[in-house]
Amino acid sequence: MSEAAYLQVARDIRERIASGQLKPGDKLPSFNALCEQYEVSGTVIRTAMILLKAEGVIDGRQGKGVYVTDRTPQA
């Protein structure tokens, strides 16, 4: 059985942060851009964002976007 899509998206974003592609303070692509990039629904992206936010990897700023936090992800 394959991994849930939202877990795949969250893992990929964590790996991009760990590898330095995304750095603390970087803004993530828009919600729609992430849907297109990963070829998934908004529900999948929303669930991945909730997971990453709960882990402290990202932080949403109302009206400004979602940013990488200073915390190093546990990849």
Side-chain angles (χ1 to χ4, degrees):
M1 189 161 134
S2 66
E3 185 177 42
Y6 78 93
L7 292 173
Q8 292 175 17
V9 171
R11 186 182 66 234
D12 184 65
I13 291 172
R14 266 190 234 103
E15 288 172 356
R16 290 173 61 197
I17 294 168
S19 72
Q21 284 180 295
L22 287 170
K23 296 174 178 54
D26 282 356
K27 184 176 178 180
L28 291 182
S30 72
F31 196 80
N32 289 337
L34 288 170
C35 289
E36 289 178 23
Q37 180 180 339
Y38 291 104
E39 299 179 345
V40 295
S41 71
T43 304
V44 170
I45 297 299
R46 190 173 299 111
T47 307
M49 294 295 119
I50 290 167
L51 176 63
L52 292 169
K53 191 169 183 178
E55 293 172 358
V57 175
I58 61 170
D59 185 35
R61 299 180 195 163
Q62 189 67 34
K64 299 215 184 295
V66 178
Y67 295 82
V68 178
T69 64
D70 291 337
R71 186 180 297 177
T72 307
Q74 309 303 315

